[in-house]
Amino acid sequence: MGLTKQYLRYVASAVFGVIGSQKANIAYVTLRGGEKGRYIAAAACEHVFIWDVRKGEKVMILEGQKHEVTFLRPSPDGVSIAVGYEDGAVRIFSLLNGESNVSFNGHKSAVSIICYDELGARLVTGSKDTDVIVWDIINECGLYRLRGHKGLITQALFLKDKNLLVTSSKDSFVKWWDLDTQHCFKTIVGHRSEVQFWRHLVAPSCVGDGAAGPGEPLLTGSADSELRAWDITYLQEVKAEGEPEEKRGKIELVEDEDEGDQEGEADEGPEERILSCKKVGSILREARDRVVSLAADARTGVIACHGNDSILEVFRVLPEAEVQQKMKKKEKRARKKAARAQEETGEDAGELTVKRTLKDEITRLTHIKASAKIRWAECLSCPGGELKVALLLQNNTIETYSLKAASTTPTSNKTARLTLGGHRTDVRTLAFSSDNLAVLSASGDTIKVWNRATLQVIRTMACEYALCSLFVPGDRQIILGTKSGKLQIFELASGSLLETVDAHDGALWSLCLAPDQRGLVTGSADKTVKFWEFELIKDGEMSHKRLTVKHKRTLQLEEDVLCVKFSPDHRLLAVSLLDCTVKLFYTDTLKFFLSLYGHKLPVLCLDICHDSTLIATGSADRNVKIWGLDFGDCHRSMFAHDDSVMFLQFLPKTHLFFTAGKDKKIKQWDADKFEHIQTLEGHHREVWCLAVSPSGDHLVSASHDKSLRLWERTREPVILEEEREMEREAEFEESMSKGDIPVVPGEAPGEAAPAGKKTIETVKAAERIMEALELFKDENRKMEEHKYVCEAAGKQLPPPNPNPILVAFGNISPSRYVLDVIRKVRSSELEVSLLVLPFSYVPELLKLFNGYIQQGLEVELVCRCLFFLLRIHFGQISSNQMLLTVMDQLRTNTVAQVRQIRDVMGFNSAALQFLQREIESREEVTFFAEATGKLKERKRRRTKRERVVLTIA
């Protein structure tokens, strides 16, 4: 038997180079003992980075799995943060240790909005699948799903002190939901176009943390330059207090005089229920395009909004005292104007009435000009009346500003700018140093050199639009090929540009170092291949010499050159042309040797193996072809990617090679056996380039998602059959997640539906419950048979051996094992797992539940499962005569146990209150007040001391 070829697995090591992903928002967070407004959470592909904006450092990473983050929302207490992902999952991370213990899975597609209620006990999520789901965080389960929108959900807000929810969508509607009855009772239809194409459509003017209160207008942004204001009046309160409806609310707003159109009452029908929502005016923005995001701060009453540009407009809701003062001045001016008119005409103007408009309540503060287009804005009020504004820009940058919101003419000051950890534009070329320690990445404006071990930036240098790069032997200089056809030589020690050489008249697409390391070859769109040699020349009057390149030869071709590569033995030169062919020339004489044709589209990348026997080519036709260099015969053509193959490179001293494509994947291949070894998935956009370290132990890749990813070779072998099986399982899980939402039997589809969805985890949980019930039945059958045999023999025989699973769990009883299996099911997946469970297992489960409740085991969990099973199988259970006795016992035992638990909780609560009163009377101090006061005083002193230190510095 021959030796089996062993492949070693490559795994993801780190993600770097991305500061803030463009698909998600940013949010201010507070870490333990940290200063307010100092830390910002930003999505970084599938992870969440916590940035210290003062130091410009990454202080925490909340690690995701494989799907991209689409929304973030910190909890009201600041202890945790909810993160929504592209697959519809929501995970809650603790900001104390960075771990995630709670996860919800109910949406079919990307989560577009997350919002907490005022207490942080409930969570509402909206998605691209047009559904809104309300989750119970304490019980870690889904409450219900609300259907009614026909577009992406852009915002969802719990109303303050009311069990109501307001949601908005791209379908141009704003809906009001009664969460007690789980139905939509009002729809705002006053928008002429889609209500904000993205997120954060509806935002309260005076309330933070996503809660809107009575008497306060809601602001909506759409595709025009208007911010519409809607006044909310609760009708139930009107009837209770006996006040006329038109006098309810904190302020009386009327339409602006210049409002030429009336947009309706925002109701579906003439009859209003629960509340009245009427349009009272609008604020005109300076920008004319759509509202991208809208942020509000509760304490300062600041509203910030922006369009698809670099201007953030800041408005302020004036306090009632300032509004009254403003109205007095307005009345005074009106009286003077009326008196002047009366003197001129001599006629009495009658009773003077001054109307209060929205412009009297909301004033324009200032605008903030960012350095690039704004993707998201976040506001936070800090002590001293300071307002901090964080902006996520579309060029992979986060900027922070501060201003005094209470000032009449506030000016914004830029306080920080996070740019060092990433490129502003896509990285188009990568290179490894010869010692495997440094990684070069170059984009449209900058070059960055990274330390591979720490992933920190060593050097940042400005350059032209880079297309290719390499380290000069010795790793002291780097050479760049640019889009304008120039060669740029940089020195790493000083980070300076040594020389710019006008090498070509067109884009310089490819560079290749000569095997003897004495020069390089360049290929360009000007249809030439040029050979260069390294030289050391004196730099002016300086004594030391610097590196330069000297042109030696030129190879003129008939088509644009896309890629050039030397064979390792320096015998041949491979040139990829725009006519879809690869031509081979002798290096010494430049005579034509072979032409490789067969690709249907141009070859974008190629490489030659270490022994100069094989050449692999990757094309825009999505195929990879392997050719022999002896006769130019095509050994194999493989369909490699679902889109263009952008990069190809052999591993050193092997016939294994990696390809990267626009389908977001990196794949490893065997050029001898023509087999696909493994797929490296992680990037969320097109992969532009790839670099393999000289040792072959590391890979680094760059993508359109602004991220750089490092991959490491492990000692774990790759078994191809297992890889194919894992790929099939992944496809099955993906198809499972796209299945229909589970339907409760007997319930007609309507606005409300179950929150969870059927996933591979819920199916596995149901299978574990069924296996446990089967084990329970088998053990019971064995005990019955043993009892029968003992009775027949007339003596006591030794009991049968227990199941090995029960022995592994500590010789527990079969019924206790079933309870342990149910208890280990994730709380958010419990209902869907029981819904998947066939009814044939339900009778046995109900009998077990009766025993658990009698013994007082996990009463809350058992009651939750019991009530859900009764709800979904009511007809079959009630018609089953065998279950009547069990149900009667369950009714009695459940009520008794629940009453007993409630009594214990009430007794404990009363005892704690008694102890509190005893301690307060004995210590003569209010409970907890002393510690809180000391903590606030300590924080105030520390802040004052830090400010003094910063002033001195």
Side-chain angles (χ1 to χ4, degrees):
M1 180 179 176
L3 292 175
T4 303
K5 193 169 186 177
Q6 189 181 55
Y7 309 109
L8 297 179
R9 185 180 301 278
Y10 282 81
V11 297
S13 175
V15 179
F16 61 105
V18 57
I19 297 174
S21 294
Q22 300 301 305
K23 264 200 169 183
N25 62 322
I26 58 173
Y28 276 108
V29 295
T30 304
L31 300 184
R32 179 187 294 175
E35 180 183 343
K36 189 177 181 181
R38 180 172 177 176
Y39 302 100
I40 291 178
C45 297
E46 69 271 19
H47 305 310
V48 176
F49 290 167
I50 309 296
W51 294 94
D52 184 345
V53 295
R54 179 179 296 178
K55 296 181 179 178
E57 296 178 354
K58 196 186 308 174
V59 295
M60 184 183 290
I61 299 178
L62 308 179
E63 295 186 356
Q65 294 173 349
K66 67 175 184 177
H67 294 283
E68 195 171 6
V69 176
T70 55
F71 203 85
L72 309 170
R73 178 71 72 187
S75 61
D77 57 8
V79 177
S80 60
I81 184 171
V83 182
Y85 294 89
E86 197 171 21
D87 64 338
V90 177
R91 299 173 66 192
I92 299 179
F93 291 86
S94 170
L95 291 174
L96 303 178
N97 52 21
E99 296 180 355
S100 171
N101 298 320
V102 181
S103 64
F104 303 120
N105 205 333
H107 291 290
K108 286 185 177 180
S109 54
V111 176
S112 59
I113 190 67
I114 300 175
C115 186
Y116 282 91
D117 67 351
E118 188 180 8
L119 299 177
R122 290 181 300 173
L123 190 75
V124 60
T125 60
S127 169
K128 283 185 178 179
D129 61 9
T130 73
D131 290 344
V132 176
I133 301 180
V134 180
W135 306 91
D136 185 351
I137 297 178
I138 297 175
N139 201 24
E140 300 181 12
C141 66
L143 296 178
Y144 36 80
R145 180 190 304 266
L146 303 175
R147 296 169 172 169
H149 284 292
K150 294 179 173 60
L152 179 145
I153 307 300
T154 56
Q155 179 63 305
L157 300 172
F158 287 102
L159 265 67
K160 194 175 183 180
D161 302 327
K162 295 286 181 179
N163 197 22
L164 302 177
L165 181 73
V166 54
T167 61
S168 59
S169 169
K170 283 181 66 175
D171 59 7
S172 79
F173 296 143
V174 178
K175 289 183 176 290
W176 301 79
W177 304 84
D178 185 352
L179 298 184
D180 293 327
T181 58
Q182 301 161 25
H183 82 285
C184 175
F185 64 90
K186 184 181 290 294
T187 301
I188 296 179
V189 295
H191 301 87
R192 297 194 181 101
S193 59
E194 292 185 1
V195 185
Q196 200 184 53
F197 298 104
W198 296 101
R199 307 172 185 87
H200 241 84
L201 166 116
V202 182
S205 59
C206 304
V207 185
D209 295 330
E216 295 163 348
L218 289 177
L219 295 182
T220 62
S222 185
D224 50 21
S225 59
E226 272 188 274
L227 291 179
R228 295 168 177 82
W230 307 83
D231 193 23
I232 307 169
T233 304
Y234 294 108
L235 303 182
Q236 294 175 356
E237 295 179 358
V238 173
K239 295 177 181 178
E241 298 180 14
E243 297 180 5
E245 180 182 341
E246 60 270 12
K247 293 185 179 180
R248 280 291 301 162
K250 181 182 65 176
I251 54 178
E252 181 184 353
L253 297 178
V254 300
E255 285 280 354
D256 292 344
E257 296 177 359
D258 57 348
E259 190 75 25
D261 53 80
Q262 304 291 330
E263 294 199 17
E265 293 293 322
D267 296 321
E268 289 183 334
E271 183 180 353
E272 294 182 346
R273 299 179 54 202
I274 302 177
L275 57 82
S276 171
C277 181
K278 297 181 180 180
K279 185 170 183 289
V280 294
S282 61
I283 307 170
L284 290 179
R285 300 163 46 233
E286 292 180 355
R288 298 297 178 186
D289 56 350
R290 63 184 177 91
V291 177
V292 175
S293 74
L294 196 154
D297 182 73
R299 296 184 181 180
T300 57
V302 168
I303 307 164
C305 66
H306 68 90
N308 197 16
D309 54 14
S310 60
I311 303 294
L312 179 74
E313 299 181 52
V314 183
F315 302 88
R316 179 168 175 254
V317 181
L318 299 177
E320 185 64 21
E322 293 187 23
V323 175
Q324 294 294 342
Q325 187 177 2
K326 195 172 183 180
M327 291 304 298
K328 288 179 181 179
K329 293 181 179 179
K330 194 173 181 180
E331 290 177 3
K332 189 176 180 180
R333 288 195 301 268
R335 289 193 191 98
K336 290 182 179 179
K337 186 177 180 180
R340 194 179 305 114
Q342 186 176 1
E343 290 178 358
E344 294 177 357
T345 60
E347 296 179 359
D348 188 7
E351 186 180 354
L352 181 66
T353 57
V354 178
K355 294 182 179 180
R356 181 168 167 175
T357 65
L358 190 67
K359 293 179 180 178
D360 299 323
E361 301 235 355
I362 301 177
T363 181
R364 186 185 304 272
L365 271 185
T366 183
H367 69 270
I368 298 175
K369 173 72 174 176
S371 60
K373 289 184 178 180
I374 302 173
R375 175 63 186 84
W376 196 270
E378 185 77 6
C379 299
L380 179 68
S381 60
C382 296
E386 182 185 11
L387 179 72
K388 292 188 176 181
V389 179
L391 302 179
L392 172 64
L393 307 183
Q394 293 186 10
N395 63 349
N396 196 27
T397 304
I398 293 177
E399 292 182 350
T400 59
Y401 296 82
S402 67
L403 55 91
K404 292 289 184 180
S407 175
T408 55
T409 57
T411 58
S412 59
N413 301 315
K414 186 185 292 187
T415 55
R417 189 166 185 254
L418 299 179
T419 59
L420 187 61
H423 288 273
R424 309 284 74 74
T425 56
D426 289 358
V427 173
R428 303 310 295 257
T429 176
L430 293 166
F432 261 103
S433 62
S434 60
D435 56 3
N436 308 290
L437 296 179
V439 178
L440 162 69
S441 64
S443 64
D445 55 355
T446 56
I447 310 167
K448 289 184 181 291
V449 180
W450 308 78
N451 186 325
R452 180 190 55 78
T454 62
L455 301 180
Q456 298 297 317
V457 179
I458 303 172
R459 285 282 183 272
T460 299
M461 298 163 281
C463 68
E464 295 186 17
Y465 198 111
L467 296 176
C468 50
S469 62
L470 57 83
F471 277 88
V472 176
D475 298 335
R476 295 184 178 183
Q477 296 88 14
I478 57 176
I479 295 182
L480 239 64
T482 69
K483 195 173 183 180
S484 59
K486 297 178 182 178
L487 281 174
Q488 291 188 319
I489 305 174
F490 292 86
E491 186 176 22
L492 288 181
S494 61
S496 59
L497 175 63
L498 294 180
E499 186 180 4
T500 299
V501 180
D502 293 327
H504 292 272
D505 297 330
L508 204 160
W509 289 111
S510 181
L511 286 176
C512 183
L513 186 67
D516 59 5
Q517 298 189 345
R518 294 183 179 180
L520 70 153
V521 62
T522 59
S524 169
D526 63 359
K527 305 179 183 179
T528 60
V529 174
K530 293 187 178 182
F531 296 80
W532 308 81
E533 283 189 357
F534 296 131
E535 282 190 354
L536 291 175
I537 61 172
K538 282 192 175 183
D539 189 5
E541 298 179 356
M542 304 297 292
S543 58
H544 65 275
K545 295 183 178 181
R546 67 168 179 85
L547 181 76
T548 186
V549 290
K550 185 178 180 181
H551 179 226
K552 288 296 185 182
R553 292 185 295 172
T554 300
L555 174 62
Q556 186 67 42
L557 296 165
E558 297 178 354
E559 296 286 343
D560 292 7
V561 178
L562 300 179
C563 188
V564 293
K565 188 71 67 173
F566 277 115
S567 63
D569 59 5
H570 208 177
R571 187 174 68 93
L572 298 173
L573 176 70
V575 181
S576 166
L577 300 178
L578 198 60
D579 61 0
C580 310
T581 64
V582 176
K583 296 189 181 299
L584 297 173
F585 300 89
Y586 289 105
T587 305
D588 50 358
T589 62
L590 297 184
K591 286 186 178 180
F592 175 75
F593 173 54
L594 286 173
S595 180
L596 310 178
Y597 54 90
H599 284 289
K600 297 179 181 178
L601 291 174
V603 174
L604 303 179
C605 50
L606 59 90
D607 198 14
I608 301 175
C609 64
H610 69 288
D611 54 6
S612 302
T613 58
L614 298 175
I615 179 173
T617 58
S619 169
D621 62 6
R622 302 175 291 177
N623 289 317
V624 168
K625 293 182 184 290
I626 301 171
W627 316 75
L629 278 180
D630 294 334
F631 306 103
D633 54 325
C634 181
H635 291 182
R636 184 65 61 92
S637 178
M638 299 178 292
F639 184 79
H641 291 269
D642 296 329
D643 209 331
S644 300
V645 182
M646 299 300 297
F647 199 87
L648 185 150
Q649 187 172 349
F650 276 96
L651 279 173
K653 299 181 181 179
T654 67
H655 283 185
L656 308 178
F657 64 92
F658 280 93
T659 60
K662 282 188 176 181
D663 60 353
K664 315 172 190 177
K665 296 177 182 178
I666 300 169
K667 296 185 178 182
Q668 186 183 12
W669 307 84
D670 187 343
D672 292 331
K673 296 185 176 182
F674 318 117
E675 287 184 325
H676 172 217
I677 301 172
Q678 63 175 327
T679 301
L680 305 180
E681 296 186 6
H683 284 293
H684 304 284
R685 299 291 184 278
E686 299 91 338
V687 182
W688 295 130
C689 51
L690 179 77
V692 181
S693 65
S695 64
D697 291 334
H698 299 91
L699 271 76
V700 64
S701 55
S703 169
H704 185 49
D705 60 12
K706 297 291 194 302
S707 69
L708 301 173
R709 290 179 182 265
L710 186 66
W711 313 82
E712 289 185 356
R713 182 163 58 187
T714 63
R715 301 298 101 187
E716 177 189 356
V718 176
I719 301 173
L720 299 183
E721 290 78 9
E722 291 183 0
E723 285 294 306
R724 303 293 90 80
E725 181 66 26
M726 290 170 61
E727 290 177 2
R728 286 191 290 269
E729 288 180 1
E731 291 177 0
F732 174 73
E733 291 180 10
E734 187 177 354
S735 63
M736 180 75 70
S737 64
K738 294 180 180 179
D740 295 333
I741 298 173
V743 178
V744 177
E747 292 189 2
E751 288 183 337
K757 73 172 182 179
K758 183 180 178 182
T759 62
I760 192 66
E761 287 79 13
T762 59
V763 173
K764 289 180 179 178
E767 290 176 350
R768 288 195 297 269
I769 295 175
M770 289 188 285
E771 289 173 358
L773 289 172
E774 291 290 345
L775 186 147
F776 173 77
K777 292 179 182 178
D778 291 342
E779 291 298 309
N780 282 352
R781 180 173 46 79
K782 287 166 57 177
M783 295 304 298
E784 291 291 336
E785 292 176 355
H786 175 70
K787 183 179 178 180
Y788 177 77
V789 171
C790 291
E791 290 177 355
K795 61 179 180 179
Q796 188 67 29
L797 298 176
N801 295 327
N803 192 291
I805 297 178
L806 301 179
V807 176
F809 280 87
N811 285 324
I812 61 176
S813 63
S815 61
R816 188 57 186 262
Y817 173 69
V818 175
L819 180 61
D820 289 346
V821 170
I822 296 175
R823 188 170 52 189
K824 289 178 181 178
V825 177
R826 189 176 294 171
S827 180
S828 60
E829 300 171 351
L830 183 59
E831 278 85 0
V832 183
S833 300
L834 294 175
L835 189 59
V836 174
L837 200 68
F839 179 75
S840 58
Y841 293 92
V842 173
E844 198 70 38
L845 206 54
L846 293 178
K847 296 175 184 177
L848 286 171
F849 285 168
N850 189 26
Y852 298 150
I853 292 176
Q854 285 180 345
Q855 301 173 32
L857 298 174
E858 300 287 347
V859 177
E860 296 91 339
L861 176 63
V862 172
C863 286
R864 179 182 168 189
C865 297
L866 172 63
F867 298 153
F868 184 77
L869 288 176
L870 290 177
R871 175 188 166 196
I872 63 176
H873 299 297
F874 177 77
Q876 292 171 289
I877 292 175
S878 59
S879 61
N880 192 335
Q881 297 294 327
M882 304 294 294
L883 294 177
L884 289 179
T885 307
V886 178
M887 294 307 302
D888 188 55
Q889 293 176 355
L890 276 170
R891 178 179 57 83
T892 306
N893 297 332
T894 302
V895 173
Q897 287 291 339
V898 171
R899 185 180 291 116
Q900 180 181 353
I901 292 175
R902 187 176 58 189
D903 293 342
V904 171
M905 292 178 63
F907 179 83
N908 291 340
S909 176
L912 289 173
Q913 293 175 6
F914 173 76
L915 289 175
Q916 178 183 346
R917 290 192 297 270
E918 287 290 319
I919 295 174
E920 288 178 354
S921 61
R922 184 172 64 249
E923 301 292 339
E924 296 182 354
V925 65
T926 305
F927 208 43
F928 295 129
E930 186 73 14
T932 305
K934 287 184 178 179
L935 179 62
K936 289 182 178 178
E937 180 66 20
R938 198 179 302 119
K939 284 186 176 180
R940 188 183 64 81
R941 290 178 180 175
R942 184 174 67 246
T943 304
K944 186 177 180 181
R945 186 165 57 251
E946 289 178 354
R947 288 178 179 174
V948 171
V949 171
L950 288 174
T951 305
I952 295 174

